[in-house]
Amino acid sequence: MAQKIAIGRQSFDKLIKSNNFYIDKTLFIKDWWENDDDVTLITRPRRFGKTLNMDMINCFFSNKYAGRSDLFENLEIWKYEKYRELQGKYPVIFLSFAGIKEKTYKKSVLSLAKKIRELYLEMKYIIKSPGFDEIEKEDYFDYIKEITEDNISDSLNVLCRYMNKYFEKKVIILLDEYDTPLQEAYINGYWNEMSGLIRSLFNNTFKTNIYLDRAILTGITRVSKESMFSDLNNLKVASVSSNTYSKYFGFTEDEVFEAMDEFGYTNKDEVKSWYDGFTIGNEEDIYNPWSIINFLDEGVLKPYWSNTSSNGLAGKLIMQGEKEVKSDFEDLLNGKTIKKRLDEDIVFSQLDEDINAVWSLLSASGYLKIKSRSLDIYELEIVNFEVMHMFNHMVSRWFTSKPVKYNDLIKTLLNGEIEDLNEYMNDLTISIISSFDTGKDTNEKQLPERFYHGFVLGLLVELRDRYVLQSNRESGAGRYDIMLIPKNIKEDNALIIEFKVIKRNRGEKGLEDTLKNALEQIEQKQYSRFLTDLGVPEEHILKYGFAFEGKEVLVGLKTTT
């Protein structure tokens, strides 16, 4: 009989005692211990089993779990006598930054302080030992009374000192989701303050801490050493490109298919298309555990991983990215690949300026996979169908939050309802340009460009089931062609859209002149011939001109009747 699925259970103790479904990853304990690194940073995409593995390490080494052989005796690690003797023998500090998602620096400091204070409260029984004098006791209770921005930096180092004195053994530190407050700081505009605080905390905790035996940090991103780990020359990094621990986070294809056999599922090709695609080191065909566990529970192919987070950072980087970012993103949504230089060290301060830094972060976060590599150039594509669905949903949300009903706009566009279309377009142009504004200086000529890229992504997502969208990005500044080719040429209209920015130096006195030039260009260059060659009747081709002056747009339509 198949084990019972427990959705979202990250307590190793509870999972094992309840005999829940579990794929044995306990040899991670052996490999990590034998590597004997002082501080290990493991980066993996979200929902990749990081927290469960960290809790497993805690249950194995922490003296709070001394004598708990029942948790491991049926698992691989228990075959090794050396490790049976290590179980429950170390003082362990286990904390997570996963919940530190504050909008301001002040609230983040309070949230971080609360977590560390809880550790002091949990361990306060040790201070009752006669081995501590009154001054030590008083200092300990000062941390219980209040942890502030001034004493956070040394708080974990101090706690290690007390634990080391009491247990007469150095401490293991497990820090899960270390980069969550850093990502939130970047998104909400207090990166410099937060990175400075975390850098100081890490230096005192992991570098100058003589009471530390060894430590593990997990996270999604590998924040650059220059901004976060500059003082940690004892750091071992196991990123998604590393072979170290490559099998211990995420499910291998063999593990997935074996689980499917156990639960009686036979649609392995479909599951592979939906949830496969991750590569860790040299290990290909790695699956996201969250998606697989949910599928095994429900038996339904649908997005699970993509619905577990707001994906706020990914959305911010793409929405507010330069035109090259949106153009490349359009290619990815069309199932194409893009070629970029990647750097695994994420420099958050460069994300607004370095286009390649955006793709580096999206790759590290598990949204993109490396299809091939030539020297330092990587060919990237969207990982799988589930992530494609997430991106489609993300783009749709950009428009559903606008004052304009985007679905109504699309209907007017497809049906040639020009008066309503003009009204919708002017409202939408203002809102899209505002949303996609990066805060940088933007001249009037760039405004239509901002609208265009958002508009194309919206069309692509909304109409991909009915249309093939082609866009011409090489046609020069201020002029873009969009062609919507119906998949059912007997029922749906085809569309040609010509974008033009007003140019008074070519004699255009107003948007009416610019619109006239746009429509004439469609005819002069015979754009519709491509469609008629495909069998689209001329009378089913809607030819649109979009004329721009700043945030104002005028739309015109030419049809053949």
Side-chain angles (χ1 to χ4, degrees):
M1 181 179 176
Q3 293 172 299
K4 182 176 177 57
I5 297 287
I7 301 299
R9 180 161 292 171
Q10 297 178 324
S11 166
F12 181 83
D13 182 352
K14 192 171 183 179
L15 186 145
I16 296 300
K17 287 196 299 185
S18 301
N19 194 32
N20 295 136
F21 172 77
Y22 175 66
I23 291 180
D24 191 344
K25 301 289 183 178
T26 56
L27 289 184
F28 170 49
I29 298 169
K30 177 176 180 294
D31 283 2
W32 173 63
W33 197 256
E34 292 179 359
N35 281 339
D36 200 26
D37 297 308
D38 287 340
V39 183
T40 303
L41 170 62
I42 301 174
T43 61
R44 294 293 186 271
R46 56 191 174 82
R47 295 290 188 173
F48 238 73
K50 299 186 294 294
T51 300
L52 181 59
N53 274 353
M54 291 284 267
D55 197 58
M56 173 187 72
I57 293 280
N58 182 44
C59 289
F60 189 83
F61 286 104
S62 175
N63 49 26
K64 298 175 187 176
Y65 291 88
R68 293 300 307 276
S69 62
D70 59 302
L71 298 177
F72 297 95
E73 58 191 7
N74 295 319
L75 301 172
E76 288 295 313
I77 190 64
W78 214 246
K79 295 178 181 179
Y80 299 88
E81 183 177 355
K82 171 185 174 180
Y83 289 92
R84 294 200 295 269
E85 295 174 356
L86 286 175
Q87 197 277 319
K89 295 297 193 294
Y90 280 83
V92 176
I93 292 175
F94 180 28
L95 75 161
S96 172
F97 286 175
I100 304 178
K101 298 180 178 181
E102 307 295 348
K103 300 295 183 182
T104 67
Y105 174 65
K106 183 178 180 180
K107 288 184 177 180
S108 287
V109 172
L110 292 174
S111 183
L112 178 59
K114 181 181 178 182
K115 283 185 173 292
I116 297 176
R117 182 173 176 270
E118 287 171 352
L119 292 174
Y120 273 83
L121 285 169
E122 182 183 344
M123 297 299 300
K124 71 176 182 179
Y125 69 90
I126 67 175
I127 206 64
K128 298 178 181 179
S129 168
F132 296 103
D133 60 33
E134 291 304 314
I135 294 178
E136 288 175 315
K137 292 179 181 180
E138 183 178 341
D139 288 344
Y140 189 96
F141 280 102
D142 282 343
Y143 282 94
I144 289 181
K145 290 177 184 176
E146 186 177 25
I147 295 179
T148 67
E149 185 176 357
D150 294 331
N151 62 6
I152 277 181
S153 295
D154 66 355
S155 58
L156 292 178
N157 185 306
V158 170
L159 183 57
C160 285
R161 172 164 59 84
Y162 281 97
M163 294 173 70
N164 173 254
K165 184 173 182 178
Y166 181 82
F167 294 111
E168 297 183 341
K169 208 159 193 173
K170 290 188 175 182
V171 179
I172 294 173
I173 297 180
L174 307 175
L175 174 54
D176 194 29
E177 304 291 356
Y178 87 98
D179 57 342
T180 297
L182 296 169
Q183 290 199 29
E184 292 298 319
Y186 169 74
I187 292 172
N188 292 294
Y190 56 93
W191 163 258
N192 289 335
E193 297 97 323
M194 197 68 197
S195 61
L197 179 65
I198 298 294
R199 186 188 306 113
S200 179
L201 173 65
F202 283 5
N203 183 55
N204 287 323
T205 303
F206 303 116
K207 175 63 177 177
T208 62
N209 189 353
I210 62 174
Y211 312 104
L212 176 69
D213 186 287
R214 63 189 75 186
I216 304 178
L217 295 82
T218 69
I220 296 173
T221 54
R222 171 177 156 179
V223 180
S224 72
K225 292 190 70 172
E226 287 72 19
S227 59
M228 193 52 52
F229 299 111
S230 57
D231 297 320
L232 297 184
N233 54 17
N234 59 343
L235 181 70
K236 168 68 176 180
V237 179
S239 66
V240 293
S241 66
S242 171
N243 290 320
T244 308
Y245 314 127
S246 58
K247 292 184 178 181
Y248 298 129
F249 296 83
F251 294 162
T252 67
E253 189 160 274
D254 287 343
E255 290 169 340
V256 171
F257 287 175
E258 183 178 340
M260 290 181 68
D261 290 339
E262 180 181 351
F263 282 83
Y265 296 116
T266 59
N267 53 338
K268 294 177 180 177
D269 287 342
E270 290 180 301
V271 168
K272 182 178 179 67
S273 175
W274 266 83
Y275 308 119
D276 183 21
F278 297 92
T279 298
I280 310 295
N282 292 330
E283 290 290 330
E284 298 181 346
D285 298 319
I286 299 294
Y287 293 67
N288 186 295
W290 177 257
S291 302
I292 294 303
I293 289 173
N294 276 273
F295 167 76
L296 293 175
D297 183 53
E298 295 188 21
V300 178
L301 291 166
K302 67 178 186 180
Y304 298 106
W305 182 63
S306 59
N307 289 332
T308 60
S309 170
S310 64
N311 303 295
L313 182 55
K316 173 185 172 70
L317 293 174
I318 296 169
M319 174 184 282
Q320 297 186 354
E322 299 293 340
K323 63 178 182 179
E324 291 85 358
V325 171
K326 293 187 179 69
S327 295
D328 287 331
F329 186 52
E330 180 189 335
D331 282 339
L332 291 169
L333 288 180
N334 270 316
K336 300 177 182 178
T337 63
I338 59 174
K339 293 185 177 180
K340 299 293 172 183
R341 285 185 172 85
L342 297 184
D343 185 351
E344 287 190 290
D345 282 342
I346 305 300
V347 184
F348 277 81
S349 60
Q350 296 179 1
L351 286 175
D352 289 328
E353 303 168 1
D354 182 355
I355 292 177
N356 288 327
V358 173
W359 305 118
S360 296
L361 189 139
L362 293 177
S363 298
S365 301
Y367 300 117
L368 305 179
K369 67 178 178 181
I370 298 170
K371 186 175 182 180
S372 66
R373 176 183 179 181
S374 177
L375 297 178
D376 62 340
I377 302 297
Y378 295 78
E379 185 180 13
L380 306 171
E381 63 182 354
I382 291 177
V383 167
N384 53 33
F385 188 78
E386 184 180 35
V387 175
M388 179 71 80
H389 183 280
M390 182 273 289
F391 279 136
N392 289 337
H393 184 60
M394 181 181 71
V395 173
S396 295
R397 287 203 309 271
W398 293 347
F399 292 94
T400 55
S401 62
K402 309 303 173 193
V404 177
K405 292 183 178 180
Y406 197 64
N407 287 337
D408 291 342
L409 183 149
I410 295 296
K411 291 177 182 178
T412 64
L413 183 71
L414 297 181
N415 296 327
E417 299 168 6
I418 198 66
E419 290 185 9
D420 289 339
L421 181 59
N422 266 285
E423 181 179 348
Y424 284 141
M425 290 304 298
N426 276 280
D427 290 340
L428 188 67
T429 303
I430 294 172
S431 62
I432 289 183
I433 289 173
S434 176
S435 295
F436 288 4
D437 188 3
T438 63
K440 302 175 184 176
D441 292 337
T442 304
N443 60 45
E444 287 290 292
K445 291 183 179 179
Q446 291 175 319
L447 295 179
E449 195 171 82
R450 292 190 180 279
F451 168 79
Y452 162 76
H453 286 288
F455 184 54
V456 168
L457 290 173
L459 288 175
L460 181 62
V461 168
E462 290 292 328
L463 298 176
R464 68 162 64 249
D465 292 336
R466 294 172 57 189
Y467 286 87
V468 175
L469 186 146
Q470 293 185 355
S471 62
N472 176 12
R473 307 180 204 132
E474 293 74 38
S475 56
R479 185 187 73 80
Y480 300 91
D481 298 321
I482 302 174
M483 185 176 290
L484 288 167
I485 307 166
K487 294 181 179 180
N488 187 336
I489 61 177
K490 293 182 179 180
E491 294 186 6
D492 290 325
N493 291 323
L495 283 77
I496 299 171
I497 303 175
E498 181 72 18
F499 278 65
K500 277 192 180 295
V501 176
I502 190 169
K503 289 188 177 180
R504 298 190 183 277
N505 60 4
R506 66 184 175 198
E508 295 174 355
K509 297 179 180 180
L511 287 180
E512 292 80 5
D513 292 340
T514 308
L515 175 58
K516 179 181 177 182
N517 288 336
L519 293 172
E520 286 179 352
Q521 183 168 312
I522 294 175
E523 296 300 322
Q524 291 170 0
K525 296 197 174 183
Q526 299 181 332
Y527 291 154
S528 61
R529 177 170 292 182
F530 176 80
L531 294 167
T532 55
D533 288 346
L534 292 176
V536 179
E538 186 73 32
E539 62 270 19
H540 287 174
I541 301 175
L542 304 180
K543 303 167 187 177
Y544 284 103
F546 281 54
F548 287 92
E549 184 172 20
K551 294 185 179 182
E552 185 179 356
V553 59
L554 178 64
V555 184
L557 171 65
K558 183 177 179 62
T559 58
T560 302
T561 56

